[in-house]
Amino acid sequence: MEIATEDFYLEVKGGEVKSIVQLLCTNQARIIEFKDYLNWRILFDEYYIVEYKNGEIKLPNLLDKHKYIQNAMYQHFEKRKSKEQIDALCKTIKYASAQKNGTSIIISDDAEIEVERLCGAKRGFKIKKFNILNNESLVQHITSIDGAVIIDSDGYCYGVGMIVDGEAVVQGDNSRGARYNSIYNYIVQKYIQGNCYVAAIISEDGMINIISTEIDRDNFRLLE
């Protein structure tokens, strides 16, 4: 343990230390960080999901999640959207994160075309477009059913209850659920096709993941 530092990590598999690694980017990494005696925390995607201190288990507060959402969305949209537009998209994801059973929001500039394609295969419900930005009750309503909500980067919603498709192009993660794995694979497939997509995945346990074709592409675990 004394070998590990802020720059070098011990890689553990099957309960054994396998190697010492230097991580240039900790996206998608699961890290156990020992801060002090009887004080450690588990981090995933650069934000912590649980902390143990002096016999007490603490869960991350909402501000940590909101900061994570904001950082990810700004990295994805900073060259294309104004601060006001990005903040409105962040609020939409924050509203959706209150869903007790989890949900997902997919954002793409070709949202209308993609909804048409998926609905043609009976994989969701096409709706007359409307803007969901800055409307908490509306976001809560449309994310309450199974399936993803697909919107464009201006906040216009085109489809709800969407079931994403595509062949397996990325390594799955058995520690995560079907929602995370299917959306993650879908976003990676869009990256391979040369499209610009970002998705917010809210799990039933309240965990939030932002997957982006812009900022996560160097960490996609592509199948060989």
Side-chain angles (χ1 to χ4, degrees):
M1 289 298 297
E2 293 181 358
I3 298 174
T5 67
E6 292 183 358
D7 299 316
F8 291 91
Y9 299 76
L10 299 182
E11 183 183 19
V12 180
K13 291 183 179 180
E16 296 182 357
V17 176
K18 297 296 185 180
S19 63
I20 302 171
V21 297
Q22 183 177 22
L23 296 181
L24 299 179
C25 179
T26 56
N27 282 349
Q28 300 299 316
R30 296 174 181 80
I31 297 172
I32 302 178
E33 180 182 82
F34 294 91
K35 301 178 68 65
D36 203 345
Y37 179 68
L38 293 180
N39 184 3
W40 52 265
R41 62 182 185 174
I42 300 175
L43 295 95
F44 182 77
D45 268 3
E46 299 185 325
Y47 73 103
Y48 84 92
I49 58 176
V50 64
E51 181 177 16
Y52 177 90
K53 187 174 183 180
N54 297 326
E56 294 184 0
I57 296 291
K58 297 181 179 180
L59 298 177
N61 60 48
L62 204 54
L63 290 177
D64 292 313
K65 291 183 179 180
H66 290 178
K67 183 177 180 180
Y68 166 70
I69 294 170
Q70 190 175 50
N71 288 342
M73 295 297 283
Y74 266 84
Q75 287 182 64
H76 184 87
F77 285 111
E78 62 182 350
K79 296 180 181 179
R80 299 189 293 122
K81 294 292 178 182
S82 68
K83 180 181 182 300
E84 291 72 22
Q85 290 172 313
I86 299 173
D87 285 343
L89 288 168
C90 289
K91 283 184 180 179
T92 298
I93 295 172
K94 292 172 188 176
Y95 296 154
S97 69
Q99 283 293 349
K100 294 182 179 179
N101 295 322
T103 188
S104 54
I105 296 178
I106 296 170
I107 307 172
S108 166
D109 286 333
D110 65 350
E112 184 173 14
I113 296 173
E114 184 65 1
V115 167
E116 289 277 3
R117 184 186 70 81
L118 289 171
C119 287
K122 299 188 183 301
R123 288 179 170 270
F125 303 97
K126 178 184 176 182
I127 59 177
K128 184 177 180 180
K129 75 170 186 177
F130 59 91
N131 199 288
I132 66 172
L133 298 184
N134 300 311
N135 193 325
E136 183 173 5
S137 61
L138 187 57
V139 172
Q140 287 286 302
H141 181 68
I142 65 173
T143 58
S144 63
I145 63 173
D146 286 340
V149 172
I150 297 183
I151 68 175
D152 64 22
S153 59
D154 291 321
Y156 285 96
C157 179
Y158 295 87
V160 299
M162 307 302 297
I163 303 171
V164 298
D165 61 358
E167 64 176 316
V169 295
V170 68
Q171 292 283 353
D173 187 342
N174 289 331
S175 69
R176 304 299 305 275
R179 176 185 290 118
Y180 173 85
N181 278 288
S182 62
I183 297 291
Y184 180 80
N185 186 80
Y186 176 79
I187 295 298
V188 175
Q189 186 179 58
K190 291 303 179 183
Y191 163 70
I192 293 173
Q193 295 171 353
N195 297 316
C196 182
Y197 274 67
V198 61
I201 309 166
I202 295 97
S203 301
E204 290 187 19
D205 59 5
M207 187 174 182
I208 300 174
N209 291 101
I210 307 293
I211 309 296
S212 163
T213 56
E214 298 293 291
I215 60 179
D216 294 310
R217 54 192 177 193
D218 292 335
N219 298 300
F220 288 149
R221 305 181 298 274
L222 298 177
L223 292 174
E224 297 181 356

PDB file of all heavy atoms in Angstrom, residues 106-141:
ATOM      1  N   ILE A 106     -30.826  10.719 -23.773  1.00  0.00           N
ATOM      2  CA  ILE A 106     -29.847  10.726 -24.859  1.00  0.00           C
ATOM      3  C   ILE A 106     -29.992  12.038 -25.613  1.00  0.00           C
ATOM      4  O   ILE A 106     -31.103  12.434 -25.985  1.00  0.00           O
ATOM      5  CB  ILE A 106     -30.069   9.537 -25.808  1.00  0.00           C
ATOM      6  CG1 ILE A 106     -29.841   8.222 -25.057  1.00  0.00           C
ATOM      7  CG2 ILE A 106     -29.158   9.633 -27.031  1.00  0.00           C
ATOM      8  CD1 ILE A 106     -30.257   6.994 -25.835  1.00  0.00           C
ATOM      9  N   ILE A 107     -28.872  12.725 -25.822  1.00  0.00           N
ATOM     10  CA  ILE A 107     -28.875  14.029 -26.476  1.00  0.00           C
ATOM     11  C   ILE A 107     -28.091  13.943 -27.776  1.00  0.00           C
ATOM     12  O   ILE A 107     -26.929  13.524 -27.782  1.00  0.00           O
ATOM     13  CB  ILE A 107     -28.270  15.117 -25.568  1.00  0.00           C
ATOM     14  CG1 ILE A 107     -28.951  15.120 -24.196  1.00  0.00           C
ATOM     15  CG2 ILE A 107     -28.373  16.490 -26.230  1.00  0.00           C
ATOM     16  CD1 ILE A 107     -28.286  16.027 -23.178  1.00  0.00           C
ATOM     17  N   SER A 108     -28.733  14.347 -28.866  1.00  0.00           N
ATOM     18  CA  SER A 108     -28.078  14.297 -30.174  1.00  0.00           C
ATOM     19  C   SER A 108     -28.713  15.319 -31.104  1.00  0.00           C
ATOM     20  O   SER A 108     -29.919  15.574 -31.037  1.00  0.00           O
ATOM     21  CB  SER A 108     -28.218  12.901 -30.789  1.00  0.00           C
ATOM     22  OG  SER A 108     -27.879  12.910 -32.154  1.00  0.00           O
ATOM     23  N   ASP A 109     -27.898  15.879 -31.995  1.00  0.00           N
ATOM     24  CA  ASP A 109     -28.438  16.832 -32.966  1.00  0.00           C
ATOM     25  C   ASP A 109     -29.259  16.146 -34.053  1.00  0.00           C
ATOM     26  O   ASP A 109     -30.005  16.809 -34.771  1.00  0.00           O
ATOM     27  CB  ASP A 109     -27.302  17.645 -33.598  1.00  0.00           C
ATOM     28  CG  ASP A 109     -26.737  18.679 -32.633  1.00  0.00           C
ATOM     29  OD1 ASP A 109     -27.484  19.125 -31.739  1.00  0.00           O
ATOM     30  OD2 ASP A 109     -25.552  19.036 -32.769  1.00  0.00           O
ATOM     31  N   ASP A 110     -29.125  14.822 -34.202  1.00  0.00           N
ATOM     32  CA  ASP A 110     -29.977  14.111 -35.158  1.00  0.00           C
ATOM     33  C   ASP A 110     -31.050  13.298 -34.432  1.00  0.00           C
ATOM     34  O   ASP A 110     -31.445  12.222 -34.863  1.00  0.00           O
ATOM     35  CB  ASP A 110     -29.153  13.229 -36.100  1.00  0.00           C
ATOM     36  CG  ASP A 110     -28.445  12.091 -35.375  1.00  0.00           C
ATOM     37  OD1 ASP A 110     -28.441  12.087 -34.131  1.00  0.00           O
ATOM     38  OD2 ASP A 110     -27.914  11.205 -36.064  1.00  0.00           O
ATOM     39  N   ALA A 111     -31.522  13.852 -33.306  1.00  0.00           N
ATOM     40  CA  ALA A 111     -32.508  13.172 -32.471  1.00  0.00           C
ATOM     41  C   ALA A 111     -33.779  12.806 -33.247  1.00  0.00           C
ATOM     42  O   ALA A 111     -34.300  11.695 -33.108  1.00  0.00           O
ATOM     43  CB  ALA A 111     -32.870  14.059 -31.272  1.00  0.00           C
ATOM     44  N   GLU A 112     -34.258  13.722 -34.081  1.00  0.00           N
ATOM     45  CA  GLU A 112     -35.507  13.458 -34.810  1.00  0.00           C
ATOM     46  C   GLU A 112     -35.340  12.280 -35.767  1.00  0.00           C
ATOM     47  O   GLU A 112     -36.204  11.389 -35.840  1.00  0.00           O
ATOM     48  CB  GLU A 112     -35.930  14.709 -35.584  1.00  0.00           C
ATOM     49  CG  GLU A 112     -37.265  14.555 -36.298  1.00  0.00           C
ATOM     50  CD  GLU A 112     -37.751  15.842 -36.925  1.00  0.00           C
ATOM     51  OE1 GLU A 112     -36.937  16.791 -37.036  1.00  0.00           O
ATOM     52  OE2 GLU A 112     -38.935  15.914 -37.302  1.00  0.00           O
ATOM     53  N   ILE A 113     -34.225  12.244 -36.489  1.00  0.00           N
ATOM     54  CA  ILE A 113     -33.966  11.155 -37.437  1.00  0.00           C
ATOM     55  C   ILE A 113     -33.806   9.830 -36.699  1.00  0.00           C
ATOM     56  O   ILE A 113     -34.311   8.786 -37.136  1.00  0.00           O
ATOM     57  CB  ILE A 113     -32.703  11.458 -38.270  1.00  0.00           C
ATOM     58  CG1 ILE A 113     -32.924  12.702 -39.117  1.00  0.00           C
ATOM     59  CG2 ILE A 113     -32.326  10.269 -39.140  1.00  0.00           C
ATOM     60  CD1 ILE A 113     -31.680  13.185 -39.838  1.00  0.00           C
ATOM     61  N   GLU A 114     -33.114   9.861 -35.571  1.00  0.00           N
ATOM     62  CA  GLU A 114     -32.888   8.633 -34.808  1.00  0.00           C
ATOM     63  C   GLU A 114     -34.182   8.090 -34.229  1.00  0.00           C
ATOM     64  O   GLU A 114     -34.411   6.878 -34.216  1.00  0.00           O
ATOM     65  CB  GLU A 114     -31.870   8.900 -33.692  1.00  0.00           C
ATOM     66  CG  GLU A 114     -31.484   7.686 -32.878  1.00  0.00           C
ATOM     67  CD  GLU A 114     -30.753   6.616 -33.672  1.00  0.00           C
ATOM     68  OE1 GLU A 114     -30.510   6.805 -34.891  1.00  0.00           O
ATOM     69  OE2 GLU A 114     -30.427   5.572 -33.090  1.00  0.00           O
ATOM     70  N   VAL A 115     -35.049   8.970 -33.750  1.00  0.00           N
ATOM     71  CA  VAL A 115     -36.348   8.525 -33.233  1.00  0.00           C
ATOM     72  C   VAL A 115     -37.179   7.904 -34.349  1.00  0.00           C
ATOM     73  O   VAL A 115     -37.848   6.869 -34.159  1.00  0.00           O
ATOM     74  CB  VAL A 115     -37.095   9.697 -32.561  1.00  0.00           C
ATOM     75  CG1 VAL A 115     -38.560   9.329 -32.313  1.00  0.00           C
ATOM     76  CG2 VAL A 115     -36.420  10.068 -31.246  1.00  0.00           C
ATOM     77  N   GLU A 116     -37.153   8.504 -35.525  1.00  0.00           N
ATOM     78  CA  GLU A 116     -37.862   7.941 -36.674  1.00  0.00           C
ATOM     79  C   GLU A 116     -37.364   6.523 -36.963  1.00  0.00           C
ATOM     80  O   GLU A 116     -38.147   5.603 -37.216  1.00  0.00           O
ATOM     81  CB  GLU A 116     -37.651   8.818 -37.912  1.00  0.00           C
ATOM     82  CG  GLU A 116     -38.366  10.160 -37.881  1.00  0.00           C
ATOM     83  CD  GLU A 116     -39.829  10.051 -38.311  1.00  0.00           C
ATOM     84  OE1 GLU A 116     -40.290   8.924 -38.578  1.00  0.00           O
ATOM     85  OE2 GLU A 116     -40.496  11.087 -38.360  1.00  0.00           O
ATOM     86  N   ARG A 117     -36.053   6.335 -36.931  1.00  0.00           N
ATOM     87  CA  ARG A 117     -35.476   5.026 -37.223  1.00  0.00           C
ATOM     88  C   ARG A 117     -35.886   3.991 -36.174  1.00  0.00           C
ATOM     89  O   ARG A 117     -36.329   2.883 -36.516  1.00  0.00           O
ATOM     90  CB  ARG A 117     -33.951   5.130 -37.262  1.00  0.00           C
ATOM     91  CG  ARG A 117     -33.244   3.839 -37.654  1.00  0.00           C
ATOM     92  CD  ARG A 117     -31.751   3.962 -37.546  1.00  0.00           C
ATOM     93  NE  ARG A 117     -31.289   4.042 -36.169  1.00  0.00           N
ATOM     94  CZ  ARG A 117     -31.130   2.978 -35.384  1.00  0.00           C
ATOM     95  NH1 ARG A 117     -31.424   1.765 -35.823  1.00  0.00           N
ATOM     96  NH2 ARG A 117     -30.691   3.130 -34.152  1.00  0.00           N
ATOM     97  N   LEU A 118     -35.764   4.354 -34.896  1.00  0.00           N
ATOM     98  CA  LEU A 118     -36.097   3.417 -33.836  1.00  0.00           C
ATOM     99  C   LEU A 118     -37.590   3.097 -33.793  1.00  0.00           C
ATOM    100  O   LEU A 118     -37.988   1.943 -33.605  1.00  0.00           O
ATOM    101  CB  LEU A 118     -35.636   3.972 -32.483  1.00  0.00           C
ATOM    102  CG  LEU A 118     -34.125   4.003 -32.256  1.00  0.00           C
ATOM    103  CD1 LEU A 118     -33.789   4.784 -30.987  1.00  0.00           C
ATOM    104  CD2 LEU A 118     -33.548   2.599 -32.176  1.00  0.00           C
ATOM    105  N   CYS A 119     -38.401   4.116 -34.009  1.00  0.00           N
ATOM    106  CA  CYS A 119     -39.848   3.889 -33.988  1.00  0.00           C
ATOM    107  C   CYS A 119     -40.291   3.056 -35.193  1.00  0.00           C
ATOM    108  O   CYS A 119     -41.281   2.328 -35.127  1.00  0.00           O
ATOM    109  CB  CYS A 119     -40.596   5.220 -33.960  1.00  0.00           C
ATOM    110  SG  CYS A 119     -40.491   6.063 -32.362  1.00  0.00           S
ATOM    111  N   GLY A 120     -39.551   3.164 -36.300  1.00  0.00           N
ATOM    112  CA  GLY A 120     -39.838   2.327 -37.458  1.00  0.00           C
ATOM    113  C   GLY A 120     -39.659   0.853 -37.142  1.00  0.00           C
ATOM    114  O   GLY A 120     -40.256  -0.020 -37.782  1.00  0.00           O
ATOM    115  N   ALA A 121     -38.814   0.565 -36.140  1.00  0.00           N
ATOM    116  CA  ALA A 121     -38.596  -0.807 -35.678  1.00  0.00           C
ATOM    117  C   ALA A 121     -39.403  -1.094 -34.414  1.00  0.00           C
ATOM    118  O   ALA A 121     -39.136  -2.076 -33.713  1.00  0.00           O
ATOM    119  CB  ALA A 121     -37.109  -1.032 -35.414  1.00  0.00           C
ATOM    120  N   LYS A 122     -40.369  -0.227 -34.121  1.00  0.00           N
ATOM    121  CA  LYS A 122     -41.248  -0.376 -32.946  1.00  0.00           C
ATOM    122  C   LYS A 122     -40.437  -0.454 -31.653  1.00  0.00           C
ATOM    123  O   LYS A 122     -40.662  -1.298 -30.789  1.00  0.00           O
ATOM    124  CB  LYS A 122     -42.165  -1.588 -33.099  1.00  0.00           C
ATOM    125  CG  LYS A 122     -43.090  -1.497 -34.303  1.00  0.00           C
ATOM    126  CD  LYS A 122     -44.111  -2.597 -34.313  1.00  0.00           C
ATOM    127  CE  LYS A 122     -44.979  -2.524 -35.559  1.00  0.00           C
ATOM    128  NZ  LYS A 122     -45.712  -1.258 -35.688  1.00  0.00           N
ATOM    129  N   ARG A 123     -39.495   0.467 -31.523  1.00  0.00           N
ATOM    130  CA  ARG A 123     -38.638   0.504 -30.342  1.00  0.00           C
ATOM    131  C   ARG A 123     -38.853   1.779 -29.522  1.00  0.00           C
ATOM    132  O   ARG A 123     -37.911   2.303 -28.932  1.00  0.00           O
ATOM    133  CB  ARG A 123     -37.168   0.403 -30.762  1.00  0.00           C
ATOM    134  CG  ARG A 123     -36.785  -0.971 -31.257  1.00  0.00           C
ATOM    135  CD  ARG A 123     -35.337  -1.033 -31.681  1.00  0.00           C
ATOM    136  NE  ARG A 123     -34.909  -2.397 -31.929  1.00  0.00           N
ATOM    137  CZ  ARG A 123     -34.385  -3.221 -31.023  1.00  0.00           C
ATOM    138  NH1 ARG A 123     -34.223  -2.798 -29.781  1.00  0.00           N
ATOM    139  NH2 ARG A 123     -34.016  -4.440 -31.340  1.00  0.00           N
ATOM    140  N   GLY A 124     -40.053   2.273 -29.491  1.00  0.00           N
ATOM    141  CA  GLY A 124     -40.332   3.446 -28.689  1.00  0.00           C
ATOM    142  C   GLY A 124     -41.525   4.210 -29.224  1.00  0.00           C
ATOM    143  O   GLY A 124     -42.239   3.746 -30.127  1.00  0.00           O
ATOM    144  N   PHE A 125     -41.726   5.390 -28.663  1.00  0.00           N
ATOM    145  CA  PHE A 125     -42.896   6.193 -28.997  1.00  0.00           C
ATOM    146  C   PHE A 125     -42.466   7.570 -29.495  1.00  0.00           C
ATOM    147  O   PHE A 125     -41.854   8.343 -28.754  1.00  0.00           O
ATOM    148  CB  PHE A 125     -43.806   6.341 -27.779  1.00  0.00           C
ATOM    149  CG  PHE A 125     -44.251   5.019 -27.212  1.00  0.00           C
ATOM    150  CD1 PHE A 125     -43.578   4.466 -26.133  1.00  0.00           C
ATOM    151  CD2 PHE A 125     -45.318   4.327 -27.760  1.00  0.00           C
ATOM    152  CE1 PHE A 125     -43.955   3.250 -25.603  1.00  0.00           C
ATOM    153  CE2 PHE A 125     -45.711   3.108 -27.242  1.00  0.00           C
ATOM    154  CZ  PHE A 125     -45.031   2.561 -26.161  1.00  0.00           C
ATOM    155  N   LYS A 126     -42.786   7.843 -30.752  1.00  0.00           N
ATOM    156  CA  LYS A 126     -42.515   9.159 -31.314  1.00  0.00           C
ATOM    157  C   LYS A 126     -43.591  10.128 -30.838  1.00  0.00           C
ATOM    158  O   LYS A 126     -44.777   9.783 -30.791  1.00  0.00           O
ATOM    159  CB  LYS A 126     -42.507   9.090 -32.842  1.00  0.00           C
ATOM    160  CG  LYS A 126     -42.288  10.427 -33.516  1.00  0.00           C
ATOM    161  CD  LYS A 126     -42.391  10.292 -35.034  1.00  0.00           C
ATOM    162  CE  LYS A 126     -42.270  11.654 -35.702  1.00  0.00           C
ATOM    163  NZ  LYS A 126     -42.411  11.559 -37.171  1.00  0.00           N
ATOM    164  N   ILE A 127     -43.186  11.327 -30.460  1.00  0.00           N
ATOM    165  CA  ILE A 127     -44.143  12.329 -30.002  1.00  0.00           C
ATOM    166  C   ILE A 127     -43.930  13.628 -30.778  1.00  0.00           C
ATOM    167  O   ILE A 127     -42.878  13.830 -31.389  1.00  0.00           O
ATOM    168  CB  ILE A 127     -43.982  12.593 -28.489  1.00  0.00           C
ATOM    169  CG1 ILE A 127     -42.555  13.070 -28.186  1.00  0.00           C
ATOM    170  CG2 ILE A 127     -44.328  11.351 -27.681  1.00  0.00           C
ATOM    171  CD1 ILE A 127     -42.336  13.428 -26.737  1.00  0.00           C
ATOM    172  N   LYS A 128     -44.929  14.486 -30.746  1.00  0.00           N
ATOM    173  CA  LYS A 128     -44.774  15.807 -31.341  1.00  0.00           C
ATOM    174  C   LYS A 128     -43.756  16.574 -30.517  1.00  0.00           C
ATOM    175  O   LYS A 128     -43.856  16.655 -29.294  1.00  0.00           O
ATOM    176  CB  LYS A 128     -46.109  16.539 -31.353  1.00  0.00           C
ATOM    177  CG  LYS A 128     -46.048  17.897 -32.050  1.00  0.00           C
ATOM    178  CD  LYS A 128     -47.415  18.547 -32.094  1.00  0.00           C
ATOM    179  CE  LYS A 128     -47.355  19.902 -32.797  1.00  0.00           C
ATOM    180  NZ  LYS A 128     -48.686  20.551 -32.845  1.00  0.00           N
ATOM    181  N   LYS A 129     -42.751  17.115 -31.172  1.00  0.00           N
ATOM    182  CA  LYS A 129     -41.637  17.697 -30.427  1.00  0.00           C
ATOM    183  C   LYS A 129     -42.089  18.842 -29.517  1.00  0.00           C
ATOM    184  O   LYS A 129     -42.982  19.619 -29.862  1.00  0.00           O
ATOM    185  CB  LYS A 129     -40.550  18.187 -31.381  1.00  0.00           C
ATOM    186  CG  LYS A 129     -40.859  19.468 -32.119  1.00  0.00           C
ATOM    187  CD  LYS A 129     -39.595  19.964 -32.839  1.00  0.00           C
ATOM    188  CE  LYS A 129     -39.826  21.328 -33.461  1.00  0.00           C
ATOM    189  NZ  LYS A 129     -38.613  21.877 -34.101  1.00  0.00           N
ATOM    190  N   PHE A 130     -41.478  18.899 -28.363  1.00  0.00           N
ATOM    191  CA  PHE A 130     -41.708  20.001 -27.427  1.00  0.00           C
ATOM    192  C   PHE A 130     -40.447  20.177 -26.607  1.00  0.00           C
ATOM    193  O   PHE A 130     -39.637  19.255 -26.482  1.00  0.00           O
ATOM    194  CB  PHE A 130     -42.921  19.738 -26.528  1.00  0.00           C
ATOM    195  CG  PHE A 130     -42.796  18.492 -25.698  1.00  0.00           C
ATOM    196  CD1 PHE A 130     -42.238  18.534 -24.429  1.00  0.00           C
ATOM    197  CD2 PHE A 130     -43.255  17.274 -26.192  1.00  0.00           C
ATOM    198  CE1 PHE A 130     -42.133  17.385 -23.667  1.00  0.00           C
ATOM    199  CE2 PHE A 130     -43.143  16.125 -25.425  1.00  0.00           C
ATOM    200  CZ  PHE A 130     -42.587  16.176 -24.165  1.00  0.00           C
ATOM    201  N   ASN A 131     -40.263  21.347 -26.052  1.00  0.00           N
ATOM    202  CA  ASN A 131     -39.047  21.658 -25.319  1.00  0.00           C
ATOM    203  C   ASN A 131     -39.220  21.323 -23.844  1.00  0.00           C
ATOM    204  O   ASN A 131     -40.212  21.718 -23.225  1.00  0.00           O
ATOM    205  CB  ASN A 131     -38.677  23.133 -25.487  1.00  0.00           C
ATOM    206  CG  ASN A 131     -37.221  23.390 -25.148  1.00  0.00           C
ATOM    207  OD1 ASN A 131     -36.823  23.355 -23.986  1.00  0.00           O
ATOM    208  ND2 ASN A 131     -36.415  23.637 -26.173  1.00  0.00           N
ATOM    209  N   ILE A 132     -38.248  20.606 -23.287  1.00  0.00           N
ATOM    210  CA  ILE A 132     -38.359  20.181 -21.886  1.00  0.00           C
ATOM    211  C   ILE A 132     -37.440  20.967 -20.957  1.00  0.00           C
ATOM    212  O   ILE A 132     -37.437  20.725 -19.746  1.00  0.00           O
ATOM    213  CB  ILE A 132     -38.058  18.675 -21.739  1.00  0.00           C
ATOM    214  CG1 ILE A 132     -36.591  18.376 -22.078  1.00  0.00           C
ATOM    215  CG2 ILE A 132     -38.991  17.851 -22.609  1.00  0.00           C
ATOM    216  CD1 ILE A 132     -36.187  16.950 -21.779  1.00  0.00           C
ATOM    217  N   LEU A 133     -36.677  21.904 -21.484  1.00  0.00           N
ATOM    218  CA  LEU A 133     -35.733  22.638 -20.650  1.00  0.00           C
ATOM    219  C   LEU A 133     -36.459  23.502 -19.627  1.00  0.00           C
ATOM    220  O   LEU A 133     -37.518  24.077 -19.908  1.00  0.00           O
ATOM    221  CB  LEU A 133     -34.825  23.511 -21.517  1.00  0.00           C
ATOM    222  CG  LEU A 133     -33.937  22.775 -22.526  1.00  0.00           C
ATOM    223  CD1 LEU A 133     -33.011  23.757 -23.239  1.00  0.00           C
ATOM    224  CD2 LEU A 133     -33.120  21.678 -21.850  1.00  0.00           C
ATOM    225  N   ASN A 134     -35.884  23.573 -18.435  1.00  0.00           N
ATOM    226  CA  ASN A 134     -36.403  24.412 -17.342  1.00  0.00           C
ATOM    227  C   ASN A 134     -37.832  24.056 -16.949  1.00  0.00           C
ATOM    228  O   ASN A 134     -38.603  24.913 -16.517  1.00  0.00           O
ATOM    229  CB  ASN A 134     -36.322  25.898 -17.734  1.00  0.00           C
ATOM    230  CG  ASN A 134     -34.903  26.338 -18.022  1.00  0.00           C
ATOM    231  OD1 ASN A 134     -33.990  26.077 -17.245  1.00  0.00           O
ATOM    232  ND2 ASN A 134     -34.712  26.989 -19.161  1.00  0.00           N
ATOM    233  N   ASN A 135     -38.184  22.775 -17.101  1.00  0.00           N
ATOM    234  CA  ASN A 135     -39.533  22.324 -16.737  1.00  0.00           C
ATOM    235  C   ASN A 135     -39.417  21.030 -15.926  1.00  0.00           C
ATOM    236  O   ASN A 135     -39.451  19.934 -16.475  1.00  0.00           O
ATOM    237  CB  ASN A 135     -40.384  22.107 -17.981  1.00  0.00           C
ATOM    238  CG  ASN A 135     -41.867  21.944 -17.646  1.00  0.00           C
ATOM    239  OD1 ASN A 135     -42.223  21.376 -16.628  1.00  0.00           O
ATOM    240  ND2 ASN A 135     -42.718  22.456 -18.525  1.00  0.00           N
ATOM    241  N   GLU A 136     -39.252  21.165 -14.620  1.00  0.00           N
ATOM    242  CA  GLU A 136     -38.985  20.014 -13.759  1.00  0.00           C
ATOM    243  C   GLU A 136     -40.108  18.991 -13.788  1.00  0.00           C
ATOM    244  O   GLU A 136     -39.861  17.783 -13.906  1.00  0.00           O
ATOM    245  CB  GLU A 136     -38.743  20.479 -12.324  1.00  0.00           C
ATOM    246  CG  GLU A 136     -38.388  19.345 -11.380  1.00  0.00           C
ATOM    247  CD  GLU A 136     -37.982  19.843 -10.005  1.00  0.00           C
ATOM    248  OE1 GLU A 136     -38.076  21.078  -9.763  1.00  0.00           O
ATOM    249  OE2 GLU A 136     -37.575  19.013  -9.174  1.00  0.00           O
ATOM    250  N   SER A 137     -41.357  19.422 -13.677  1.00  0.00           N
ATOM    251  CA  SER A 137     -42.475  18.482 -13.629  1.00  0.00           C
ATOM    252  C   SER A 137     -42.600  17.713 -14.945  1.00  0.00           C
ATOM    253  O   SER A 137     -42.916  16.516 -14.949  1.00  0.00           O
ATOM    254  CB  SER A 137     -43.781  19.222 -13.330  1.00  0.00           C
ATOM    255  OG  SER A 137     -44.062  20.181 -14.341  1.00  0.00           O
ATOM    256  N   LEU A 138     -42.337  18.379 -16.059  1.00  0.00           N
ATOM    257  CA  LEU A 138     -42.414  17.718 -17.360  1.00  0.00           C
ATOM    258  C   LEU A 138     -41.325  16.664 -17.500  1.00  0.00           C
ATOM    259  O   LEU A 138     -41.574  15.546 -17.983  1.00  0.00           O
ATOM    260  CB  LEU A 138     -42.289  18.759 -18.476  1.00  0.00           C
ATOM    261  CG  LEU A 138     -42.507  18.272 -19.909  1.00  0.00           C
ATOM    262  CD1 LEU A 138     -43.869  17.625 -20.061  1.00  0.00           C
ATOM    263  CD2 LEU A 138     -42.358  19.426 -20.893  1.00  0.00           C
ATOM    264  N   VAL A 139     -40.124  16.995 -17.075  1.00  0.00           N
ATOM    265  CA  VAL A 139     -39.021  16.025 -17.134  1.00  0.00           C
ATOM    266  C   VAL A 139     -39.348  14.810 -16.271  1.00  0.00           C
ATOM    267  O   VAL A 139     -39.146  13.664 -16.684  1.00  0.00           O
ATOM    268  CB  VAL A 139     -37.701  16.673 -16.670  1.00  0.00           C
ATOM    269  CG1 VAL A 139     -36.600  15.616 -16.548  1.00  0.00           C
ATOM    270  CG2 VAL A 139     -37.275  17.761 -17.645  1.00  0.00           C
ATOM    271  N   GLN A 140     -39.884  15.042 -15.078  1.00  0.00           N
ATOM    272  CA  GLN A 140     -40.269  13.947 -14.197  1.00  0.00           C
ATOM    273  C   GLN A 140     -41.316  13.052 -14.854  1.00  0.00           C
ATOM    274  O   GLN A 140     -41.280  11.821 -14.726  1.00  0.00           O
ATOM    275  CB  GLN A 140     -40.813  14.504 -12.877  1.00  0.00           C
ATOM    276  CG  GLN A 140     -39.750  15.088 -11.963  1.00  0.00           C
ATOM    277  CD  GLN A 140     -38.919  14.002 -11.302  1.00  0.00           C
ATOM    278  OE1 GLN A 140     -39.451  13.147 -10.608  1.00  0.00           O
ATOM    279  NE2 GLN A 140     -37.627  14.021 -11.527  1.00  0.00           N
ATOM    280  N   HIS A 141     -42.210  13.669 -15.571  1.00  0.00           N
ATOM    281  CA  HIS A 141     -43.303  12.922 -16.199  1.00  0.00           C
ATOM    282  C   HIS A 141     -42.800  12.033 -17.329  1.00  0.00           C
ATOM    283  O   HIS A 141     -43.109  10.841 -17.379  1.00  0.00           O
ATOM    284  CB  HIS A 141     -44.358  13.908 -16.731  1.00  0.00           C
ATOM    285  CG  HIS A 141     -45.533  13.247 -17.372  1.00  0.00           C
ATOM    286  ND1 HIS A 141     -46.451  12.504 -16.660  1.00  0.00           N
ATOM    287  CD2 HIS A 141     -45.934  13.211 -18.669  1.00  0.00           C
ATOM    288  CE1 HIS A 141     -47.371  12.037 -17.493  1.00  0.00           C
ATOM    289  NE2 HIS A 141     -47.077  12.456 -18.712  1.00  0.00           N
TER     290      HIS A 141
END
